[in-house]
Structures are given as C-alpha cells and as structure tokens.
Amino acid sequence: MQVYFIACKTKVAPLKSSKTDISLTIPRLELCAAVLLAHVLSHRLTLLSKVITIRQVRAFSDSTIIVLSWLKSQPKDFNIFFTNRVSKIKELLPNCEWNHVSSKENAADPASRGLFPHELITCNLHWTGPEFLRHPESQWPNSKHVEIPTDQLPEFKQTQECALFLTDTNEPERILQRFSSLGKMQRVLAYCLRFINVCRRRPIETGVLSRNETDRALVVAIRITQNIHWAQLQRQLTSPSAIITSTNLAHLSPFLDVQEVIRVGGRLHFSFFSENSKHPVLLPKASHLTELVILHYHLNLLHAGLKLTMTMIFRRFWIVSGRAAIRQVIHTCIPCVRHRAACPQPKMADLPAWRVQPHRPFSFVGMDYGGPFSVKESRRRNSKTNKAYLALFVCLSVKAVHLEIVSDIF
C-alpha cells in the first residue's frame, strides 16, 4: 500500500475565544482541530473526486473523546459551542469513519508541536505518515479507547425534567370566538343544549328550533362571558355582604337574577317597561359576545349609525363603555367604510405668472359676454326695441373691470 502527502494545515491556538471571554480548554481545542481537519479534507475530496474514484474516507485523531464520544453523540445534548462544531463536522464529512491514532504515530504532531525547518524536512512521520498505513487494514493496531456515557462527557447540557400543568380558563370563550354572527352562535348552542338533554334523558323539543331554545342558548353565552370577565364580581354578589369593590361597576347597582345573569339595577322597578329595558344585561366592552351583539343590531338596522344602534342595544343590554365599543365596530364595518369614503379632490395647478405678478392694468385680461338685454330706442310708448349685449373685460392682475355695449355678437 502506498501513502502520499497531499496537504497539511496548522493553526495557532488563541489565548481567548474571539466571541467570548472564556478561555479555550483542551477538549475545545481538540474539537477545533477536528473541524480544521474536516474543512481541509472536504476541500481535497471535492478536487480529487473529479480525477479518481474514492471508495472510503477515514480520519484519525489522537483524542478519544472527540472521535469516539462527541462525534457519536447527538449534537443537541451539548452546549452551543460543541453543537455547532459537531454539526459542521458531520455536514462536511457525512460518510467519514473516524479512528483513533496514538500520539507517537500522529503525523500532525511534528508540525503542531514545532520543529526547525531542517528537522521537518527529514521527519518521515510528517511526510509519509505512520508505518501501519502501509500494511493491510487487518494488521492495523486496534483503537484503545474507553466508551464514555453521554451524560459524563465535558460540556454536556444538563436538563431538568419538570411537569407543567396548565389550565386554560378562556377555553369556553374560545368556543364563542368560532362564530361570526349572533344568530349562528345561538343556533349552534341551542342544538348542543338539545343534545345534552338527549344524553341526560330529559324531555326535548323536536323539529325547528324555538324562540325559547335560542334565548336559552344566549343566556348560556352571557353566563360564560360574565364568568370570564367578572368572576370576582359574581363572588361578591353571591356573598352575604354584597360589597362591590369595583367603582366602575358599583354605580350600576348590579345584581344576579334567577338565571344567574348579572343585570343592571336602577329605580325603574315599578315602571311598565319590559324586564330587559328596566334591568338590561351587563356585558363587558372587550369580549367576542359583545362584538357579535353590536354587529347583529348594526346589520339588522341596515347599517345604522352610532346613536340608533346604541339606543336599540341598550333596550336589552348594557355595555360598559358602550359608545366606544359600538363606534369601534361600526368603523370596522366594510360596507360602512366604503359608504363613508370621500371622493379625492384633484390638486389644482399653480396660478399663471400674470395673476401673481404686477403688470400694467389690462395688459392681461379675461373676457366674457352677457345678455341679451332688451334696449328701447327712446322713451316713447311704441318705440322700437332692439337686442344688446354686454362685453366684460377683467384685468387679471388688479381685477379692474371694463364694460362695453355690444349691438351684435356676429
């Protein structure tokens, strides 16, 4: 077997890393040497593959940790320094077989440890490599190494296992966010409630959904929204003391009705208005149900404005900061935005020079005619009447006016 010297490359180890202030340890320097070997070998393989056929690639290193441990482990198990370099080696030499060579037979040691020029010329180890390369592979010395577990290697990334349990309190509201209209939400929830009653063997209504079923579904959606946004207010209303800490809601005198829905109190208990008008349902400003309610009334009223939409909504619902919430929904309505769009006014050209600079009067004039006017020849009763016209001359510089009578425009 013949051995040929093709290329070699050395690199001086830095005192500190160029990107960090951490001094490079011996394992890190050995890994950097393997990266340098991978770059040189990959470049030579690219050039030689065009000339000869390469059947197998072997790389040798005198570091058992790099060859037999790091390169055989998963890069993600180590710190970022080793992860990047091990991944680079495997990318440059994907089919390379790494072996161990002793320090006495390492052909890279003479150049890396430093020799005088006359000593390097006569060094057979540097030029011809170790002696075992000239023998068949069956006679090569066995690699003496100790298999090291991955978790005991240097720079191993310690991971702590922990169990994390999350409770999503907004899951019911996410169900409501799937709907884009109030009517569709009521129908779907009504069918869900009907299915629940079937599973619990309760009497149900068959056929088309009734008004009571859709209203019951709306009450369920209202309770879900109020439980998410005003959980503390519900606890305060159910407590015996019933002290409301929120000053924004306390002046509304909220209370819970028989369906456990928060409604607005007031002094209209003895009026002849409906129950929804006297005590409207309290809704938060930032909720999907509130947006659906506003959009429902806005569309049913044929894209009504702010005041009409707010008046009709407040007959059944009371939205906190309702004016701002309704204005936001109306301003995002695409048909309303197109209807409010104003036609762009074209930009007028600059005035000519004779309009803005001083000139002698009537140097530049604008002319027009007016008429016809009926003119009598005299004041006699049966005097003849003729047509006359008026010629108007306007000075474009000083706006002076000159009038002339024109008997005929032809």
Side-chain angles (χ1 to χ4, degrees):
M1 183 179 294
Q2 298 180 356
V3 180
Y4 298 95
F5 178 87
I6 297 178
C8 68
K9 189 173 184 179
T10 59
K11 188 176 181 180
V12 180
L15 297 178
K16 289 185 179 181
S17 177
S18 58
K19 295 183 180 180
T20 60
D21 294 335
I22 303 175
S23 299
L24 293 177
T25 59
I26 297 299
R28 293 194 175 199
L29 291 175
E30 292 174 347
L31 183 59
C32 291
V35 175
L36 182 62
L37 174 61
H39 279 284
V40 176
L41 191 56
S42 175
H43 181 259
R44 295 305 182 273
L45 289 175
T46 304
L47 299 178
L48 293 176
S49 60
K50 301 177 181 179
V51 181
I52 60 176
T53 302
I54 301 175
R55 293 180 298 177
Q56 191 176 8
V57 180
R58 291 177 180 269
F60 293 88
S61 173
D62 59 354
S63 174
T64 56
I65 296 178
I66 293 177
V67 176
L68 303 176
S69 300
W70 278 332
L71 296 179
K72 293 183 179 181
S73 304
Q74 295 294 332
K76 62 182 181 62
D77 296 334
F78 302 94
N79 293 334
I80 191 65
F81 183 91
F82 288 83
T83 299
N84 294 339
R85 284 155 180 80
V86 172
S87 301
K88 189 65 176 179
I89 293 173
K90 293 184 177 181
E91 179 184 353
L92 294 173
L93 303 175
N95 300 322
C96 178
E97 181 181 350
W98 286 82
N99 300 95
H100 175 258
V101 63
S102 62
S103 299
K104 295 181 179 180
E105 297 178 332
N106 189 4
D109 278 356
S112 61
R113 295 183 178 180
L115 289 176
F116 289 104
H118 67 277
E119 295 178 349
L120 187 61
I121 294 176
T122 58
C123 182
N124 294 329
L125 181 62
H126 176 73
W127 295 103
T128 60
E131 185 65 26
F132 67 86
L133 293 179
R134 297 172 179 82
H135 302 291
E137 293 187 12
S138 59
Q139 299 179 8
W140 287 9
N142 296 328
S143 301
K144 298 179 180 180
H145 65 274
V146 179
E147 191 70 24
I148 301 177
T150 304
D151 55 351
Q152 297 181 8
L153 291 173
E155 305 292 339
F156 178 74
K157 183 169 56 177
Q158 301 291 337
T159 58
Q160 298 180 355
E161 297 182 358
C162 62
L164 180 62
F165 298 93
L166 298 178
T167 302
D168 192 357
T169 57
N170 296 329
E171 183 62 28
E173 190 175 24
R174 290 184 180 179
I175 298 176
L176 302 181
Q177 291 176 354
R178 299 179 180 180
F179 304 103
S180 59
S181 65
L182 184 65
K184 184 176 181 179
M185 183 197 68
Q186 289 181 267
R187 292 191 298 271
V188 173
L189 293 182
Y191 280 116
C192 293
L193 295 176
R194 182 182 286 186
F195 175 75
I196 293 173
N197 292 332
V198 171
C199 296
R200 295 180 179 178
R201 300 182 182 278
R202 295 176 181 176
I204 61 171
E205 300 180 12
T206 59
V208 183
L209 293 173
S210 62
R211 177 66 180 272
N212 293 332
E213 288 180 302
T214 55
D215 290 344
R216 194 180 305 115
L218 181 59
V219 171
V220 172
I222 292 172
R223 285 207 300 262
I224 291 174
T225 303
Q226 292 180 346
N227 290 338
I228 294 174
H229 293 270
W230 290 321
Q232 183 180 1
L233 178 61
Q234 286 186 335
R235 290 193 298 267
Q236 293 173 354
L237 293 177
T238 54
S239 62
S241 59
I243 299 177
I244 302 174
T245 57
S246 177
T247 57
N248 296 331
L249 300 177
H251 70 280
L252 297 176
S253 303
F255 68 95
L256 289 175
D257 60 359
V258 294
Q259 296 177 330
E260 297 183 356
V261 175
I262 303 177
R263 292 181 176 270
V264 178
R267 303 168 60 188
L268 302 177
H269 180 69
F270 297 104
S271 65
F272 294 103
F273 296 139
S274 63
E275 189 67 21
N276 290 328
S277 299
K278 291 188 295 185
H279 305 290
V281 177
L282 191 61
L283 290 179
K285 175 185 176 181
S287 69
H288 189 67
L289 178 61
T290 304
E291 183 178 352
L292 293 182
V293 170
I294 298 173
L295 190 61
H296 173 75
Y297 279 89
H298 177 63
L299 296 180
N300 286 352
L301 296 173
L302 304 179
H303 296 275
L306 172 64
K307 293 184 178 179
L308 179 57
T309 305
M310 184 172 58
T311 302
M312 300 303 295
I313 290 176
F314 283 5
R315 295 176 62 181
R316 188 175 182 181
F317 303 97
W318 185 273
I319 303 173
V320 178
S321 301
R323 181 182 292 272
I326 296 172
R327 183 185 294 109
Q328 181 179 1
V329 173
I330 293 178
H331 280 206
T332 56
C333 179
I334 296 179
C336 294
V337 171
R338 292 176 177 175
H339 181 72
R340 293 193 304 266
C343 297
Q345 297 295 332
K347 185 178 180 181
M348 300 184 66
D350 294 334
L351 294 175
W354 54 81
R355 291 286 304 276
V356 295
Q357 296 178 4
H359 295 87
R360 293 179 62 86
F362 295 100
S363 297
F364 302 95
V365 297
M367 183 178 178
D368 196 4
Y369 286 94
F373 302 99
S374 298
V375 180
K376 290 184 177 182
E377 292 182 353
S378 63
R379 294 184 179 181
R380 291 180 301 175
R381 181 179 299 177
N382 296 326
S383 60
K384 186 178 179 180
T385 303
N386 298 320
K387 289 183 179 181
Y389 297 89
L390 186 64
L392 177 64
F393 300 90
V394 180
C395 178
L396 298 180
S397 297
V398 298
K399 296 300 181 182
V401 179
H402 177 74
L403 302 177
E404 288 286 347
I405 299 177
V406 180
S407 61
D408 195 353
I409 60 176
F410 296 104

